[in-house]
Amino acid sequence: MTGVAIASYLSEADERILANDVLDGLTRPFKELPPKHFYDARGSELFEQICELPEYYPTRTEAGILGDWADEIVARTGAGELVELGSGTADKARILLDAMARAGTLRRYVPLDVAERMVADSARQLVEEYDGLEVHGVIGDFERHLDHVPDTDGTPRIVALLGGTVGNFPPGTRRTLLRNMGTLLGRDDRLLLGTDLVKDPAVIEAAYDDRAGVTAEFNRNLLHVINRELGANFVADQFEHVAFFDDKHQWVEMRLRALAACSVEIGDLGMTVEFEAGEELRTEISAKFTRERLEADYRAAGLALEHWYTDEDELFALSLAGREGAQSPAG
Ligand code: SAH
Ligand code: AVI
C-alpha cells in the first residue's frame, strides 16, 4: 500500500508540559527552559531562516556530507525505510530518499516532529515527489512518543536524528534519548546521527549570534510562546540575546538576559516571576562533539559507532551506529 498517514499524539496534556516546564524552570535559582518549546509556527520559520544564514554552517555542511555519502550509506545498510526524529522540513531526508530510490530499496518515510504543520506539509509533498513512497507521519515528542513509531515489515531501516539536535540535550538526557532510539533498531537497522564538532569558539559563537539578528529573534520567540500559551506578559524586547561557548562543557549556550529588573505575570499559572537587572534565563545548550565523546555516549547507551563521515574541514560529522553486538551490515 502506498500513501500518506498522519497520527498526532500531542494533546491538551502537552499544554501541561509547557506549563510544568515553565513552573519548574522559572522557579529555579538559575532560570532555565528546555529548547523544544521554540518550535511553534513562527519558531520553525525562524529556524529555517537560521539554516540559510552565512554564519550558520551546520545545515549546509551536514547536507554536503549527506550528498557525498548517501549512496554509500544506503548500499552499506540496504535501508529502504527512513525514520527521522525532529524531521522539520525534511530537506535532508530527500537526500537519503533519493539514494534509496536510486538503489531501488525505497519504501517508507516516517517523520516525527512536535511541529505539526511541518510533518503534515512534508508528508504530503513527499508522496507526490516519490513514486510508490509510503509516508507515516508522527506528530509527537521524541522524548515520549517513540513507541508510536510503526514496526518495520523487515525492510532494513535508518533511524536518523540530524542537524545536531542530539546536542540540545544535557549529557544524561542525551544518553537516555540514544538508548531509547536504540529500541527502534533491529539487527539490520542503523542509527544515523548528525553531530556538530568542537572547533574554534569564534566560529561557533558567530553561528549562534548572527549579524542579521535572526537567532536573537528565534531565542526571544520562546517568550512569545509563553505569552500566548500561558497568558504571560513578557516584554520580549526587554530581554537581550546572549550566546557563548562554554569551554568546560564543550557546548554553546543561548540565554536571555533581562535588561532591567522586571516582574512577569504568568496568568494561567497564577504566578509572578521576578527578574533582577542582568539576570539570565538559559534557553538552549548545543553540545559540540569529538569522536571520542560521541563514542562514550554510544557505549553508555548500548550502541556502537560503526562509521564516521565528516567534511574536509571537520566542522560536522554524521555517524552510523548499531546496537552493541549487532553485526555490521557490511561484514
Ligand atoms: N532535522 C532538521 C531540523 C532541526 S531543528 C535539520 O536538521 O535541519 C529541530 C527539530 O526538532 C525541529 O523541527 C523541532 O520541532 C524538532 N524537535 C525539537 N524537540 C523535539 C522533541 N522533543 N520531539 C519532537 N521534535 C522535536
Ligand atoms: C536544532 N538545533 C540542532 C539547533 C542548534 O544548532 O543547536 C538549534 C539552533 N539554535 C540556535 N540556532 C540553531
Side-chain angles (χ1 to χ4, degrees), residues 39 47 50 56 163-165 168 208 215 218 254 284 286:
Y39 299 95
F47 180 73
I50 288 174
Y56 195 73
T165 300
N168 294 138
Y208 291 81
T215 310
F218 175 73
M254 294 207 312
E284 185 179 73
S286 190

Side-chain angles (χ1 to χ4, degrees), residues 36 39 47 51 59 62 84-88 92 112-115 140-143 162-163 165 169:
K36 71 175 161 217
Y39 299 95
F47 180 73
C51 293
T59 306
E62 186 182 39
E84 188 183 12
L85 310 183
S87 46
K92 293 168 194 159
L112 186 156
D113 204 294
V114 278
D141 182 335
F142 54 61
E143 290 192 87
L162 303 177
T165 300
F169 295 89

Side-chain angles (χ1 to χ4, degrees), residues 47-305:
F47 180 73
E48 277 181 62
Q49 288 178 30
I50 288 174
C51 293
E52 304 288 323
L53 292 169
E55 296 95 333
Y56 195 73
Y57 59 87
T59 306
R60 59 176 173 275
T61 310
E62 186 182 39
I65 303 169
L66 271 176
D68 289 344
W69 292 100
D71 288 314
E72 200 267 348
I73 291 168
V74 170
R76 180 179 291 285
T77 57
E81 173 167 311
L82 174 63
V83 176
E84 188 183 12
L85 310 183
S87 46
T89 53
D91 286 346
K92 293 168 194 159
R94 284 178 172 82
I95 306 174
L96 285 162
L97 298 178
D98 284 341
M100 290 179 191
R102 281 193 292 275
T105 55
L106 180 63
R107 294 183 70 118
R108 186 165 66 167
Y109 176 51
V110 182
L112 186 156
D113 204 294
V114 278
E116 182 172 351
R117 215 200 43 185
M118 294 292 216
V119 175
D121 290 355
S122 61
R124 280 191 209 99
Q125 284 160 14
L126 288 164
V127 282
E128 297 287 317
E129 286 171 34
Y130 294 87
D131 233 14
L133 177 69
E134 200 182 319
V135 179
H136 184 124
V138 181
I139 298 164
D141 182 335
F142 54 61
E143 290 192 87
R144 293 182 297 124
H145 299 128
L146 286 190
D147 51 337
H148 294 296
V149 170
D151 292 336
T152 47
D153 60 3
T155 307
R157 71 176 167 195
I158 289 174
V159 177
L161 179 61
L162 303 177
T165 300
V166 71
N168 294 138
F169 295 89
T173 316
R174 181 196 309 148
R175 289 179 174 189
T176 303
L177 176 62
L178 289 173
R179 181 170 289 281
N180 292 340
M181 289 176 74
T183 65
L184 299 176
L185 303 178
R187 274 187 76 246
D188 296 332
D189 305 329
R190 290 296 177 269
L191 180 71
L192 182 66
L193 194 69
T195 43
D196 197 9
L197 301 179
V198 171
K199 61 184 69 62
D200 178 355
V203 173
I204 297 174
E205 286 176 353
Y208 291 81
D209 194 8
D210 62 281
R211 289 163 63 100
V214 182
T215 310
E217 214 179 318
F218 175 73
N219 197 4
R220 279 192 285 263
N221 185 55
L222 187 58
L223 304 182
H224 294 298
V225 169
I226 299 169
N227 283 351
R228 189 187 60 235
E229 299 296 326
L230 299 176
N233 66 353
F234 276 105
V235 180
D237 290 350
Q238 285 299 304
F239 287 81
E240 97 181 299
H241 170 69
V242 176
F244 67 95
F245 187 69
D246 175 339
D247 196 44
K248 178 171 165 226
H249 294 104
Q250 304 268 282
W251 64 44
V252 62
E253 279 197 30
M254 294 207 312
R255 296 182 178 185
L256 288 166
R257 180 188 293 143
L259 291 172
C262 59
S263 291
V264 179
E265 305 291 335
I266 318 267
D268 292 7
L269 301 181
M271 69 191 264
T272 306
V273 182
E274 305 289 347
F275 284 85
E276 288 171 18
E279 187 175 345
E280 294 178 354
L281 156 65
R282 179 158 66 187
T283 52
E284 185 179 73
I285 61 161
S286 190
K288 308 304 165 195
F289 292 81
T290 58
R291 183 175 170 147
E292 294 67 35
R293 180 183 198 179
L294 186 60
E295 277 181 316
D297 283 341
Y298 277 144
R299 268 197 304 279
L303 299 165
L305 182 131

Side-chain angles (χ1 to χ4, degrees), residues 21-28 31-33 234 266 273 281:
D21 286 345
V22 168
L23 180 62
D24 180 43
L26 297 190
T27 52
R28 291 184 191 180
K31 297 181 174 65
E32 177 169 27
L33 288 170
F234 276 105
I266 318 267
V273 182
L281 156 65

